Amino acid sequence: MILSALATSVGINLGLTVLLAAAYTLLRRRPPYVAVYSPRRPYAPPEPWLPAAWRRTEADVHAAAGLDGVVFLRIFVFSIRVFAAAAVVGVGVLMPVNFMGDQLRQIDFSDLPNKSVDLFSVSNVQDGSNKLWLHFSAVYIITGITCYLLYYEYKYISGKRLEYFMTSKPLPQHFTVLVRAIPVTNGVSVSDAVDKFFKEYHSSTYLSHTVVHQTGKLRRLLNDAENICTKLANLKSVRRTSGDPPGKFLGIFGRNDLVGKYQKRLEDLEENVRMEQSDTTRSRQEVPAAFVSFRSRYGAANAIYIRQSDKPTEWQTEHAPDPHDVYWPFFSTSFMDRWISKFVVSVASILLILVFLLVSAFVQGLTYMEQLETWLPFLKNILEIAVVSQLVTGYLPSVILHFLSSYVPSIMKLFSTMQGFISVSGIERSACNKMLRFTIWSVFFANVLTGSVLGQLEIFLDPKEIPKRLAVVVPAQASFFITYVVTSWTSIASELTQTAALLFHLWGSCAKCCKRDESKPPSMHYHSEIPRVLLFGLLGLTYFIVSPLILPFVLVYFCLGYFIYRNQLFNVYSPKYDTGGRFWPIVHGGTIFSLVLMHVIAIGVFGLKKLPLASSLLVPLPVLTLLFNEYCRNRFLPIFEAYSTESLIKKDREEESKPEMAEFFSNLVNAYCDPAMKPIQQHSNSDERTTPLLS
């Protein structure tokens, strides 16, 4: 890609970014759009959003979005620090060295716009040149900076996690465990079996239990009732705002008829719900799983980490999620069902990656004008127009890839749901790992391998040749990934305008009978946003010495993201759960992978550039990086998996004499009652639905 095509892409995306930010500034405080742009703080006094986002402290972020929100923003802080240093070295030192080389051409400043961006890459440095030692030194420098900042962030966030635990009020999930695979004999209920077992083996700490029931049919009825309630409320709202009784369509159907029809259906559904709740309780439709609560955090921890039975597949215990975080539908799955689901999901994930490889091959073909003219010869005359060719090669491929990638997170979340996780946070953390693997293979490697040399999949069959082959194929896609990063400015700016939510809101305003429920703010989709952010860290590190021109664009992306998401976490997104910062180990592992990949590519680059000594001296670097990762895993990861005996007992002793603990334990007995089993509210005769069906 030539510099003028890159400039076209930068100009388009910069203009769109400014336009979206301006539109957000104009619309955010207009009454019709408050439900879209500030559902969490609709009555807050108007103030400029950018200074407000800058002024807020980390304590404010923690109060508004929990520790997961703090961790998400720390990813941007960490990335800005890393790529600020990388940009100083890459743009200030490496890029001038690359440009002043003459491997690709003699220097000619008069025709710079028509020169390839490869002139700023390491490919333009003469083979065997001593200037390559600057690139060698830069690899060690940026690795040292990144590892230091990784250690600092891991230590800081693990300290925040411990502080979060020690300063938190008593929470049900700290006193409760989930028990699955409960063995039941004939004539004995699951409830009786649980009560007998824990009274016998945990008599001093056992408090109570709640057995899980099969409520699939009941949930379907409740969902139908919720939908009818929403339609009924919208119809009544239209009737109140219009002021006149609506006329009938073709003399047959009027809105009053619909109101009566929906009220009758709602009455029938509510009666069916009550009957189903009664049948579920009376017929003991129990699942061999139960939430078991204890009188102390230490007692609950003992039940989790000590095997309960001589048969490992029985009385299996695990951490209980927050009651509001429980995902109820999959409790009926057995151990074998969950095992089979994991296998099926693994195969499905691989197939999805393979399908996306074909998509990436097509998208990459758009970056090569010759290949595009071969595929679509009837467009040859149009493609010869300079502006069209620059748009097609410099802008269109990355837009298509962004668009298609936006549908993958929901698929990965569905895959994780099928695996039988019992919490929404567990589903999203699993989906986050899947999305990260998908992003690495289907966005990075797929574009690298299919874009440069078709049939390069055999690159991994000979491990000795991996560095050399990557050193050839990765630089060839530098121009594509630079435009991909630039296009992402518009993508992250569209987070401000909430384009999809705005369209739904406008549609609901026009077709009021189809208006959606905007009473609840949306939640942050960490499972899709964290892998997306880590992808740009991967691109910045892998192209650090290969094509440092990408670094300022990556830095701009992280700066935009930092301010935009600080604003969104306060005004738009409401936390659905709080894992206590358990997303950070995923971030750490992804960054370590990016560093090692950078080292492998650098080893191959110096080999191709006929500087074998530099390649040899780089070999210890990935080994040292992996050793550093292992040290961090042993030092910090256990803090994210479980709390220590010291912390648990200290917290228990601090609270055992507090008078409010009696009330807490009284509420804990019913904390894990399935919402589908709770009494429903009467709505069929009310004029307006102001509360949810479940009380």
Side-chain angles (χ1 to χ4, degrees):
M1 183 175 66
I2 61 176
L3 288 175
S4 59
L6 175 60
T8 300
S9 180
V10 171
I12 291 173
N13 286 282
L14 185 60
L16 289 174
T17 300
V18 173
L19 182 63
L20 290 172
Y24 171 73
T25 303
L26 292 173
L27 296 176
R28 59 188 292 264
R29 280 305 171 188
R30 293 183 179 273
Y33 307 108
V34 169
V36 176
Y37 296 125
S38 191
R40 290 194 66 183
R41 305 169 68 239
Y43 305 110
E47 57 179 337
W49 69 272
L50 199 57
W54 174 257
R55 284 197 307 268
R56 293 190 174 103
T57 64
E58 191 171 273
D60 296 331
V61 175
H62 193 176
L67 193 54
D68 289 336
V70 173
V71 166
F72 184 65
L73 290 179
R74 295 297 297 189
I75 302 174
F76 287 97
V77 173
F78 164 78
S79 301
I80 289 171
R81 290 171 176 171
V82 168
F83 288 103
V88 170
V89 177
V91 178
V93 178
L94 301 184
M95 206 162 76
V97 170
N98 295 341
F99 183 74
M100 298 303 290
D102 55 2
Q103 180 81 2
L104 301 181
R105 59 91 181 92
Q106 297 296 322
I107 299 176
D108 180 12
F109 292 99
S110 61
D111 195 27
L112 191 59
N114 294 320
K115 299 298 182 182
S116 171
V117 295
D118 292 338
L119 297 181
F120 297 94
S121 72
V122 71
S123 304
N124 197 38
V125 181
Q126 279 286 353
D127 294 347
S129 172
N130 287 330
K131 294 179 181 179
L132 290 170
W133 287 104
L134 291 172
H135 298 74
F136 170 85
S137 303
V139 175
Y140 267 92
I141 290 172
I142 202 62
T143 300
I145 291 173
T146 305
C147 287
Y148 169 77
L149 291 173
L150 273 177
Y151 179 84
Y152 174 81
E153 292 295 333
Y154 221 152
K155 182 179 180 180
Y156 179 81
I157 293 171
S158 60
K160 282 287 182 182
R161 177 172 167 81
L162 292 175
E163 180 185 345
Y164 161 81
F165 175 74
M166 295 304 296
T167 58
S168 65
K169 62 181 181 179
L171 298 173
Q173 62 267 30
H174 293 160
F175 293 82
T176 306
V177 303
L178 173 65
V179 184
R180 301 174 105 168
I182 300 171
V184 179
T185 57
N186 291 334
V188 179
S189 67
V190 174
S191 181
D192 293 339
V194 172
D195 194 61
K196 179 182 178 181
F197 182 89
F198 283 94
K199 280 184 177 178
E200 181 174 355
Y201 298 109
H202 297 269
S203 56
S204 62
T205 57
Y206 169 65
L207 176 66
S208 64
H209 70 275
T210 301
V211 176
V212 181
H213 292 78
Q214 293 180 358
T215 56
K217 181 179 178 181
L218 186 55
R219 289 183 180 283
R220 288 191 291 272
L221 290 173
L222 286 168
N223 288 335
D224 291 342
E226 276 292 338
N227 292 333
I228 297 298
C229 274
T230 301
K231 293 178 180 178
L232 191 58
N234 289 338
L235 285 172
K236 291 180 178 180
S237 175
V238 172
R239 185 170 62 182
R240 284 195 306 272
T241 54
S242 62
D244 299 321
K248 295 185 177 182
F249 177 69
L250 298 179
I252 302 175
F253 298 108
R255 210 167 276 144
N256 287 331
D257 298 325
L258 286 176
V259 169
K261 177 184 175 182
Y262 284 146
Q263 284 180 336
K264 181 64 171 63
R265 287 182 61 186
L266 184 57
E267 290 174 3
D268 294 340
L269 282 170
E270 288 178 346
E271 183 60 29
N272 290 338
V273 167
R274 293 188 190 92
M275 292 176 60
E276 182 65 25
Q277 287 176 336
S278 178
D279 291 343
T280 300
T281 305
R282 186 171 56 251
S283 61
R284 290 182 176 272
Q285 298 178 10
E286 296 176 328
V287 174
F291 290 99
V292 180
S293 299
F294 295 81
R295 300 182 186 278
S296 67
R297 298 173 179 85
Y298 183 69
N302 275 335
I304 294 173
Y305 295 107
I306 297 178
R307 185 158 51 87
Q308 300 299 306
S309 173
D310 292 334
K311 298 180 180 179
T313 57
E314 295 181 354
W315 296 103
Q316 296 177 341
T317 57
E318 59 185 280
H319 288 280
D322 182 275
H324 300 289
D325 187 27
V326 177
Y327 185 75
W328 295 95
F330 269 85
F331 275 100
S332 59
T333 56
S334 64
F335 173 81
M336 184 57 68
D337 291 337
R338 295 196 301 273
W339 187 86
I340 294 173
S341 296
K342 288 181 180 179
F343 175 76
V344 171
V345 165
S346 298
V347 174
S349 300
I350 293 173
L351 291 176
L352 182 62
I353 291 175
L354 293 177
V355 169
F356 216 82
L357 285 173
L358 301 177
V359 175
S360 298
F362 170 74
V363 170
Q364 278 296 330
L366 298 178
T367 63
Y368 298 98
M369 189 59 64
E370 300 82 4
Q371 190 169 353
L372 192 59
E373 290 176 351
T374 302
W375 288 354
L376 305 171
F378 57 91
L379 294 178
K380 185 175 182 180
N381 294 332
I382 298 176
L383 294 174
E384 288 178 352
I385 302 173
V387 175
V388 174
S389 65
Q390 290 173 8
L391 282 173
V392 171
T393 61
Y395 184 69
L396 188 60
S398 55
V399 170
I400 294 175
L401 193 60
H402 273 294
F403 176 76
L404 295 176
S405 299
S406 65
Y407 290 96
V408 177
S410 58
I411 298 175
M412 291 302 183
K413 189 173 180 178
L414 175 63
F415 286 170
S416 294
T417 302
M418 293 167 58
Q419 290 183 259
F421 287 97
I422 52 90
S423 66
V424 176
S425 60
I427 290 172
E428 294 207 355
R429 283 196 296 118
S430 174
C432 184
N433 277 307
K434 291 182 179 65
M435 272 302 301
L436 184 58
R437 291 192 291 269
F438 175 87
T439 301
I440 291 173
W441 286 102
S442 295
V443 177
F444 180 76
F445 281 115
N447 284 285
V448 163
L449 299 178
T450 60
S452 299
V453 183
L454 294 176
Q456 286 285 339
L457 292 177
E458 68 273 10
I459 188 174
F460 299 103
L461 299 180
D462 186 0
K464 294 182 180 179
E465 293 296 315
I466 289 177
K468 185 181 297 184
R469 301 290 288 275
L470 286 177
V472 173
V473 298
V474 171
Q477 293 308 306
S479 59
F480 171 78
F481 283 118
I482 290 173
T483 57
Y484 183 83
V485 173
V486 171
T487 307
S488 299
W489 296 355
T490 306
S491 175
I492 203 168
S494 66
E495 170 66 31
L496 273 177
T497 56
Q498 294 284 297
T499 308
L502 179 61
L503 292 176
F504 275 118
H505 177 79
L506 293 174
W507 170 253
S509 300
C510 297
K512 293 185 178 180
C513 61
C514 302
K515 187 177 181 181
R516 64 184 189 133
D517 183 12
E518 294 175 334
S519 59
K520 294 182 180 179
S523 60
M524 183 70 182
H525 300 301
Y526 292 115
H527 67 287
S528 60
E529 297 306 318
I530 289 177
R532 185 177 303 165
V533 174
L534 293 179
L535 171 64
F536 294 99
L538 171 70
L539 296 178
L541 288 174
T542 52
Y543 281 95
F544 169 64
I545 67 160
V546 173
S547 184
L549 181 61
I550 199 174
L551 296 174
F553 303 120
V554 171
L555 185 59
V556 169
Y557 172 84
F558 286 124
C559 291
L560 285 172
Y562 176 74
F563 286 103
I564 289 173
Y565 280 110
R566 279 178 75 90
N567 176 77
Q568 301 299 84
L569 289 175
F570 275 92
N571 296 313
V572 178
Y573 297 118
S574 178
K576 186 187 299 183
Y577 55 80
D578 193 351
T579 68
R582 296 183 70 185
F583 283 100
W584 183 258
I586 299 175
V587 177
H588 180 91
T591 306
I592 290 293
F593 176 83
S594 300
L595 281 175
V596 172
L597 184 60
M598 178 185 72
H599 301 153
V600 172
I601 294 171
I603 290 171
V605 166
F606 291 126
L608 290 177
K609 285 294 182 179
K610 297 181 173 53
L611 205 66
L613 180 59
S615 293
S616 301
L617 293 177
L618 276 180
V619 170
L621 196 53
V623 177
L624 293 174
T625 302
L626 293 175
L627 289 175
F628 164 76
N629 179 55
E630 190 63 23
Y631 170 77
C632 288
R633 284 175 55 85
N634 293 325
R635 170 67 177 82
F636 299 116
L637 187 58
I639 298 174
F640 290 82
E641 294 176 342
Y643 295 110
S644 66
T645 298
E646 177 184 5
S647 298
L648 292 169
I649 293 180
K650 184 184 297 184
K651 187 69 172 171
D652 285 336
R653 287 174 178 172
E654 286 178 359
E655 296 177 345
E656 62 184 358
S657 59
K658 292 183 177 180
E660 58 266 24
M661 291 303 294
E663 181 182 359
F664 169 76
F665 286 126
S666 176
N667 295 329
L668 183 59
V669 173
N670 298 315
Y672 286 91
C673 179
D674 189 338
M677 298 295 294
K678 294 181 180 180
I680 63 173
Q681 299 283 354
Q682 290 280 356
H683 293 97
S684 54
N685 297 321
S686 62
D687 290 333
E688 183 178 3
R689 183 167 70 94
T690 57
T691 58
L693 272 175
L694 298 178
S695 60

